[in-house]
Coordinates of all heavy atoms in Angstrom, one line a residue:
M83 N 0.8 -1.2 0.0 CA 0.0 0.0 0.0 C 0.9 1.2 0.0 O 1.9 1.3 0.7 CB -0.9 0.0 1.2 CG -1.9 1.1 1.3 SD -3.3 0.8 2.4 CE -4.0 -0.6 1.5
D84 N 0.5 2.2 -0.8 CA 1.3 3.4 -0.9 C 0.9 4.5 0.1 O -0.3 4.7 0.3 CB 1.2 4.0 -2.3 CG 1.9 3.1 -3.4 OD1 2.9 2.4 -3.0 OD2 1.5 3.1 -4.5
H85 N 1.8 5.2 0.7 CA 1.6 6.2 1.7 C 2.2 7.5 1.3 O 3.1 7.6 0.5 CB 2.1 5.7 3.0 CG 1.5 4.5 3.6 ND1 1.9 3.2 3.2 CD2 0.5 4.3 4.4 CE1 1.1 2.4 3.8 NE2 0.3 3.0 4.6
E86 N 1.7 8.6 2.0 CA 2.4 9.9 1.9 C 2.1 10.5 3.3 O 1.3 10.2 4.0 CB 1.8 10.7 0.8 CG 0.3 11.1 0.9 CD -0.2 11.9 -0.3 OE1 0.6 12.2 -1.2 OE2 -1.4 12.2 -0.2
I87 N 3.0 11.5 3.5 CA 2.9 12.3 4.8 C 2.2 13.6 4.4 O 2.5 14.2 3.4 CB 4.3 12.5 5.4 CG1 4.9 11.2 5.7 CG2 4.2 13.4 6.6 CD1 6.4 11.3 6.1
R88 N 1.1 13.9 5.2 CA 0.4 15.1 5.0 C 0.4 16.0 6.2 O 0.3 15.6 7.3 CB -1.1 14.7 4.6 CG -1.9 15.9 4.1 CD -3.3 15.4 3.6 NE -3.1 14.7 2.3 CZ -3.1 15.3 1.1 NH1 -3.3 16.6 1.0 NH2 -3.0 14.6 0.0
A89 N 0.4 17.3 6.0 CA 0.5 18.3 7.1 C -0.9 18.6 7.7 O -1.9 18.6 7.0 CB 1.1 19.6 6.5
E90 N -0.8 18.9 9.0 CA -2.0 19.4 9.7 C -1.5 20.8 10.1 O -0.4 21.0 10.6 CB -2.3 18.6 10.9 CG -3.4 19.2 11.8 CD -3.6 18.5 13.1 OE1 -3.0 17.4 13.3 OE2 -4.4 19.0 13.9
Y91 N -2.5 21.8 10.0 CA -2.2 23.2 10.4 C -3.1 23.6 11.6 O -4.1 22.9 11.8 CB -2.4 24.1 9.2 CG -1.6 23.7 8.0 CD1 -2.2 23.0 7.0 CD2 -0.3 24.1 7.8 CE1 -1.5 22.6 5.8 CE2 0.4 23.7 6.7 CZ -0.2 23.0 5.7 OH 0.6 22.6 4.6
D92 N -2.7 24.7 12.2 CA -3.6 25.2 13.3 C -5.0 25.5 12.7 O -5.1 25.8 11.5 CB -3.0 26.5 13.8 CG -1.8 26.2 14.8 OD1 -1.8 25.2 15.4 OD2 -0.9 27.1 14.8
E93 N -6.0 25.3 13.6 CA -7.4 25.5 13.2 C -7.6 26.9 12.6 O -7.1 27.9 13.2 CB -8.3 25.3 14.4 CG -9.7 25.3 14.0 CD -10.6 24.9 15.1 OE1 -10.2 24.1 16.0 OE2 -11.8 25.3 15.1
G94 N -8.2 27.0 11.5 CA -8.5 28.3 10.8 C -7.4 28.8 9.9 O -7.6 29.8 9.3
V95 N -6.3 28.1 9.9 CA -5.2 28.5 9.0 C -5.2 27.8 7.7 O -5.3 26.6 7.7 CB -3.8 28.3 9.7 CG1 -2.6 28.6 8.9 CG2 -3.7 29.0 11.1
L96 N -5.1 28.6 6.6 CA -5.2 28.0 5.3 C -3.8 27.5 4.9 O -2.8 28.2 5.2 CB -5.7 29.0 4.3 CG -7.1 29.4 4.5 CD1 -7.5 30.5 3.5 CD2 -8.1 28.3 4.4
P97 N -3.7 26.4 4.3 CA -2.3 25.9 3.9 C -1.7 26.7 2.7 O -2.4 26.9 1.7 CB -2.6 24.4 3.4 CG -4.1 24.3 3.2 CD -4.7 25.4 4.0
H98 N -0.6 27.2 3.0 CA 0.2 27.9 2.0 C 1.7 27.3 2.0 O 2.0 26.6 3.0 CB 0.2 29.4 2.2 CG -1.1 30.0 2.0 ND1 -1.6 30.2 0.7 CD2 -2.0 30.5 2.9 CE1 -2.8 30.8 0.9 NE2 -3.1 31.0 2.2
E99 N 2.5 27.7 1.1 CA 3.8 27.2 1.0 C 4.6 27.5 2.3 O 5.4 26.7 2.8 CB 4.5 27.9 -0.2 CG 5.8 27.3 -0.5 CD 6.4 27.9 -1.8 OE1 5.7 27.8 -2.8 OE2 7.4 28.5 -1.8
D100 N 4.4 28.7 2.9 CA 5.1 29.1 4.1 C 4.4 28.9 5.4 O 4.8 29.4 6.5 CB 5.6 30.5 4.0 CG 4.5 31.5 3.8 OD1 3.3 31.1 3.5 OD2 4.7 32.7 3.9
T101 N 3.2 28.3 5.4 CA 2.4 28.1 6.6 C 3.1 27.0 7.5 O 3.5 26.0 7.1 CB 1.0 27.5 6.3 OG1 0.4 28.5 5.4 CG2 0.1 27.4 7.5
P102 N 3.3 27.4 8.8 CA 3.9 26.4 9.7 C 3.0 25.2 9.9 O 1.8 25.3 10.0 CB 4.1 27.2 11.0 CG 3.8 28.6 10.7 CD 3.0 28.7 9.5
V103 N 3.7 24.0 10.0 CA 3.0 22.8 10.2 C 2.8 22.5 11.6 O 3.8 22.6 12.4 CB 3.7 21.6 9.5 CG1 3.1 20.3 9.8 CG2 3.8 21.9 8.0
K104 N 1.6 22.2 12.1 CA 1.3 21.9 13.5 C 1.8 20.4 13.8 O 2.4 20.2 14.8 CB -0.2 22.0 13.7 CG -0.6 21.6 15.1 CD -2.1 21.8 15.3 CE -2.5 21.3 16.7 NZ -4.0 21.5 16.8
L105 N 1.5 19.5 12.8 CA 1.8 18.1 13.0 C 1.7 17.4 11.7 O 0.9 17.8 10.8 CB 0.7 17.5 13.9 CG 1.0 16.1 14.6 CD1 2.3 16.2 15.5 CD2 -0.2 15.7 15.5
W106 N 2.6 16.5 11.4 CA 2.6 15.6 10.2 C 1.9 14.3 10.5 O 2.0 13.8 11.6 CB 4.0 15.4 9.8 CG 4.8 16.5 9.2 CD1 5.7 17.3 9.9 CD2 4.6 17.1 7.9 NE1 6.1 18.3 9.1 CE2 5.5 18.2 7.9 CE3 3.9 16.8 6.8 CZ2 5.7 19.0 6.8 CZ3 4.0 17.6 5.7 CH2 4.9 18.7 5.7
H107 N 1.1 13.9 9.5 CA 0.4 12.6 9.6 C 0.7 11.7 8.4 O 1.0 12.2 7.3 CB -1.1 12.9 9.6 CG -1.6 13.7 10.8 ND1 -2.0 13.1 12.0 CD2 -1.7 15.0 11.0 CE1 -2.4 14.0 12.8 NE2 -2.2 15.2 12.3
M108 N 0.5 10.4 8.6 CA 0.6 9.4 7.6 C -0.8 9.2 7.0 O -1.7 9.0 7.7 CB 1.2 8.1 8.1 CG 1.6 7.2 7.0 SD 3.0 7.8 5.9 CE 4.4 7.6 7.0
C109 N -0.8 9.2 5.6 CA -2.1 9.0 4.9 C -1.8 8.0 3.8 O -0.6 7.8 3.4 CB -2.6 10.2 4.2 SG -3.0 11.5 5.4
R110 N -2.8 7.4 3.3 CA -2.7 6.6 2.0 C -2.6 7.6 0.9 O -3.2 8.7 1.0 CB -3.8 5.6 1.9 CG -3.6 4.5 2.9 CD -4.7 3.5 2.9 NE -4.4 2.5 3.9 CZ -4.6 2.6 5.2 NH1 -5.2 3.7 5.7 NH2 -4.3 1.6 6.0
V111 N -1.9 7.4 -0.2 CA -1.7 8.3 -1.2 C -3.1 8.8 -1.7 O -4.0 8.0 -2.0 CB -0.9 7.7 -2.4 CG1 -0.9 8.6 -3.6 CG2 0.5 7.4 -2.0
G112 N -3.2 10.1 -1.8 CA -4.4 10.8 -2.3 C -5.5 11.0 -1.3 O -6.5 11.6 -1.6
A113 N -5.4 10.4 -0.1 CA -6.4 10.5 0.9 C -6.2 11.7 1.8 O -5.1 12.2 1.9 CB -6.4 9.3 1.8
T114 N -7.3 12.3 2.3 CA -7.2 13.4 3.2 C -7.5 13.0 4.6 O -7.6 13.9 5.5 CB -8.1 14.6 2.7 OG1 -9.5 14.1 2.7 CG2 -7.7 15.1 1.4
T115 N -7.8 11.7 4.9 CA -8.0 11.2 6.2 C -6.7 10.5 6.6 O -6.2 9.6 6.0 CB -9.1 10.2 6.3 OG1 -10.3 10.9 5.8 CG2 -9.4 9.8 7.7
A116 N -6.1 11.0 7.7 CA -4.9 10.4 8.2 C -5.2 9.0 8.8 O -6.3 8.7 9.1 CB -4.3 11.3 9.3
M117 N -4.1 8.2 9.0 CA -4.3 6.9 9.6 C -4.8 6.9 11.0 O -5.4 6.0 11.5 CB -3.0 6.1 9.5 CG -2.6 5.9 8.1 SD -1.0 5.0 7.9 CE -1.6 3.3 8.2
C118 N -4.7 8.1 11.7 CA -5.2 8.3 13.0 C -6.7 8.7 13.0 O -7.3 8.8 14.0 CB -4.4 9.3 13.8 SG -4.5 11.0 13.2
G119 N -7.2 9.0 11.8 CA -8.6 9.4 11.7 C -8.8 10.9 11.5 O -9.9 11.4 11.2
R120 N -7.7 11.7 11.7 CA -7.8 13.2 11.5 C -8.1 13.5 10.1 O -7.4 13.0 9.2 CB -6.5 13.8 12.0 CG -6.4 15.3 11.7 CD -6.9 16.2 12.7 NE -6.4 16.0 14.0 CZ -6.9 16.6 15.1 NH1 -7.9 17.4 14.9 NH2 -6.5 16.4 16.3
Q121 N -9.0 14.5 9.8 CA -9.3 15.0 8.5 C -8.3 16.1 8.2 O -8.2 17.0 9.1 CB -10.7 15.5 8.4 CG -11.8 14.4 8.5 CD -11.7 13.5 7.2 OE1 -11.3 13.9 6.1 NE2 -12.1 12.3 7.4
L122 N -7.7 16.0 7.1 CA -6.7 17.0 6.7 C -7.1 17.8 5.5 O -7.9 17.3 4.7 CB -5.3 16.3 6.5 CG -4.8 15.5 7.7 CD1 -3.6 14.7 7.3 CD2 -4.5 16.4 8.9
A123 N -6.6 19.0 5.3 CA -6.9 19.8 4.1 C -6.4 19.1 2.8 O -5.3 18.7 2.8 CB -6.3 21.2 4.3
P124 N -7.3 19.1 1.8 CA -6.8 18.6 0.5 C -5.6 19.3 -0.1 O -4.8 18.7 -0.8 CB -8.0 18.8 -0.4 CG -9.2 18.9 0.5 CD -8.7 19.5 1.8
A125 N -5.5 20.6 0.3 CA -4.3 21.4 -0.3 C -3.1 21.4 0.7 O -2.2 22.1 0.4 CB -4.8 22.8 -0.5
A126 N -3.2 20.5 1.7 CA -2.1 20.5 2.7 C -0.8 20.0 2.0 O -0.8 19.2 1.1 CB -2.4 19.5 3.8
A127 N 0.3 20.4 2.5 CA 1.6 20.0 2.0 C 1.8 18.5 2.2 O 1.3 17.9 3.2 CB 2.8 20.7 2.7
T128 N 2.5 17.8 1.4 CA 2.8 16.4 1.5 C 4.3 16.1 1.4 O 5.0 16.9 0.8 CB 2.1 15.6 0.4 OG1 2.5 16.0 -0.9 CG2 0.6 15.7 0.5
L129 N 4.7 15.0 2.0 CA 6.1 14.6 1.9 C 6.1 13.1 1.5 O 5.1 12.4 1.8 CB 6.8 14.7 3.3 CG 7.0 16.1 3.8 CD1 7.4 16.0 5.3 CD2 7.9 16.9 3.0
P130 N 7.1 12.6 0.9 CA 7.2 11.2 0.7 C 7.3 10.4 2.0 O 7.8 10.9 3.0 CB 8.4 11.0 -0.2 CG 9.2 12.2 0.0 CD 8.3 13.3 0.4
P131 N 6.9 9.1 2.0 CA 6.9 8.3 3.2 C 8.3 8.1 3.8 O 8.5 7.9 5.0 CB 6.2 7.0 2.9 CG 6.3 6.9 1.4 CD 6.3 8.3 0.9
D132 N 9.3 8.1 2.9 CA 10.7 7.9 3.4 C 11.2 9.0 4.2 O 12.3 8.9 4.8 CB 11.6 7.5 2.3 CG 11.8 8.6 1.2 OD1 11.1 9.6 1.3 OD2 12.6 8.4 0.3
T133 N 10.5 10.1 4.4 CA 10.9 11.2 5.3 C 10.5 11.0 6.7 O 10.8 11.7 7.6 CB 10.5 12.6 4.8 OG1 9.1 12.6 4.6 CG2 11.1 13.0 3.5
W134 N 9.6 10.0 6.9 CA 9.2 9.6 8.2 C 10.4 9.3 9.1 O 11.3 8.6 8.6 CB 8.2 8.5 8.2 CG 7.7 8.0 9.5 CD1 6.9 8.8 10.4 CD2 7.9 6.8 10.2 NE1 6.6 8.1 11.5 CE2 7.2 6.8 11.4 CE3 8.6 5.7 9.9 CZ2 7.3 5.8 12.3 CZ3 8.6 4.6 10.7 CH2 7.9 4.7 12.0
G135 N 10.5 9.8 10.3 CA 11.6 9.5 11.2 C 12.8 10.5 10.9 O 13.8 10.3 11.6
T136 N 12.6 11.4 10.1 CA 13.7 12.4 9.8 C 13.2 13.8 10.4 O 12.0 14.0 10.6 CB 14.0 12.6 8.3 OG1 12.9 13.2 7.7 CG2 14.3 11.2 7.7
P137 N 14.1 14.7 10.6 CA 13.8 16.0 11.1 C 12.8 16.8 10.2 O 12.0 17.6 10.7 CB 15.1 16.8 11.2 CG 16.1 15.7 11.4 CD 15.6 14.5 10.6
K138 N 12.8 16.5 8.9 CA 11.9 17.2 8.0 C 10.4 16.9 8.3 O 9.6 17.7 8.1 CB 12.2 16.8 6.6 CG 11.5 17.6 5.5 CD 12.0 17.3 4.2 CE 11.3 18.2 3.2 NZ 11.8 18.1 1.9
A139 N 10.1 15.7 8.9 CA 8.7 15.3 9.2 C 8.4 15.4 10.7 O 7.6 14.6 11.2 CB 8.5 13.9 8.7
E140 N 9.0 16.3 11.4 CA 8.8 16.5 12.8 C 8.1 17.8 13.0 O 8.3 18.7 12.3 CB 10.1 16.5 13.6 CG 10.8 15.1 13.6 CD 10.0 14.1 14.3 OE1 9.3 14.4 15.3 OE2 10.1 12.9 14.0
P141 N 7.1 17.8 13.9 CA 6.6 16.8 14.8 C 5.7 15.9 14.0 O 5.0 16.3 13.1 CB 5.9 17.5 15.9 CG 5.5 18.8 15.3 CD 6.5 19.1 14.2
F142 N 5.7 14.6 14.4 CA 4.9 13.6 13.7 C 3.9 13.0 14.7 O 4.2 12.7 15.8 CB 5.8 12.5 13.2 CG 5.2 11.6 12.1 CD1 5.2 12.0 10.8 CD2 4.5 10.5 12.4 CE1 4.6 11.3 9.8 CE2 3.9 9.7 11.5 CZ 3.9 10.1 10.1
C143 N 2.7 12.7 14.2 CA 1.6 12.1 14.9 C 2.0 10.6 15.4 O 2.3 9.8 14.5 CB 0.4 12.0 14.1 SG -1.0 11.1 14.8
F144 N 2.1 10.4 16.7 CA 2.6 9.1 17.2 C 1.6 8.0 16.8 O 2.0 6.9 16.5 CB 2.8 9.1 18.7 CG 1.5 9.2 19.5 CD1 0.9 8.0 20.0 CD2 0.9 10.4 19.8 CE1 -0.2 8.1 20.7 CE2 -0.2 10.4 20.6 CZ -0.8 9.3 21.0
L145 N 0.3 8.3 16.7 CA -0.7 7.3 16.4 C -0.6 6.9 14.9 O -0.6 5.7 14.6 CB -2.1 7.8 16.7 CG -3.2 6.7 16.6 CD1 -2.9 5.5 17.5 CD2 -4.5 7.4 17.1
C146 N -0.4 7.8 14.0 CA -0.1 7.5 12.6 C 1.1 6.7 12.5 O 1.1 5.7 11.7 CB 0.0 8.8 11.8 SG -1.5 9.6 11.4
G147 N 2.2 7.0 13.2 CA 3.4 6.2 13.2 C 3.2 4.8 13.6 O 3.7 3.9 12.9
A148 N 2.4 4.6 14.6 CA 2.1 3.2 15.1 C 1.3 2.4 14.0 O 1.6 1.3 13.7 CB 1.3 3.2 16.4
H149 N 0.3 3.0 13.4 CA -0.5 2.4 12.4 C 0.4 2.1 11.2 O 0.3 1.0 10.6 CB -1.7 3.2 12.0 CG -2.8 3.2 12.9 ND1 -3.5 2.1 13.2 CD2 -3.2 4.2 13.7 CE1 -4.4 2.4 14.1 NE2 -4.3 3.7 14.5
Y150 N 1.3 3.0 10.8 CA 2.2 2.8 9.7 C 3.1 1.7 9.9 O 3.3 0.8 9.0 CB 2.9 4.1 9.4 CG 3.9 4.1 8.2 CD1 3.4 3.9 6.9 CD2 5.2 4.3 8.4 CE1 4.3 3.9 5.9 CE2 6.1 4.2 7.4 CZ 5.6 4.0 6.1 OH 6.5 4.0 5.0
L151 N 3.7 1.6 11.1 CA 4.6 0.5 11.4 C 3.9 -0.9 11.2 O 4.5 -1.9 10.8 CB 5.2 0.6 12.8 CG 6.3 1.6 12.9 CD1 6.7 1.7 14.4 CD2 7.5 1.2 12.1
R152 N 2.7 -1.0 11.6 CA 1.9 -2.2 11.5 C 1.7 -2.7 10.1 O 1.5 -3.9 9.8 CB 0.6 -2.1 12.2 CG 0.7 -2.1 13.7 CD -0.6 -2.0 14.3 NE -0.5 -2.0 15.8 CZ -1.4 -1.7 16.6 NH1 -2.6 -1.4 16.1 NH2 -1.2 -1.7 17.9
E153 N 1.7 -1.7 9.1 CA 1.5 -2.1 7.7 C 2.8 -2.4 7.0 O 2.8 -2.8 5.9 CB 0.8 -0.9 7.0 CG -0.6 -0.8 7.5 CD -1.4 0.2 6.6 OE1 -0.9 0.7 5.6 OE2 -2.6 0.4 6.9
Q154 N 3.9 -2.1 7.6 CA 5.2 -2.3 7.0 C 5.8 -3.7 7.2 O 5.7 -4.2 8.3 CB 6.2 -1.3 7.4 CG 5.8 0.2 7.1 CD 5.5 0.3 5.6 OE1 6.3 0.1 4.8 NE2 4.3 0.7 5.4
P155 N 6.3 -4.3 6.2 CA 6.9 -5.7 6.4 C 8.1 -5.7 7.3 O 8.8 -4.7 7.5 CB 7.3 -6.1 5.0 CG 7.2 -4.9 4.1 CD 6.5 -3.8 4.9

């Protein structure tokens, strides 16, 4: 299954290139619902899944990380 990392922003903040990220979440590619169940903006920034565990994807949702690990061989 293919994944991507999607940004969550503070409530009421629209996603733009320079908008600070509140938390990163793991999603299935093209989905706007994170693996933890959080609904994310369709226009939110995304990162490839191999940035998980790196400083670029911090802070990261611990629940999404746990679900993601369960799906990995």
Side-chain angles (χ1 to χ4, degrees):
M83 185 160 294
D84 292 329
H85 296 85
E86 67 185 354
I87 298 171
R88 186 173 291 272
E90 175 187 354
Y91 304 98
D92 285 327
E93 191 172 331
V95 176
L96 297 174
H98 293 288
E99 191 174 301
D100 59 347
T101 303
V103 173
K104 177 180 177 181
L105 198 61
W106 291 100
H107 294 271
M108 190 65 74
C109 299
R110 289 179 178 81
V111 170
T114 57
T115 302
M117 294 180 81
C118 68
R120 169 88 55 192
Q121 290 293 331
L122 304 170
T128 60
L129 297 171
D132 62 353
T133 56
W134 180 65
T136 69
K138 188 170 184 175
E140 291 294 329
F142 198 85
C143 173
F144 72 93
L145 191 53
C146 282
H149 286 292
Y150 180 64
L151 282 175
R152 288 184 179 165
E153 291 188 3
Q154 297 308 301

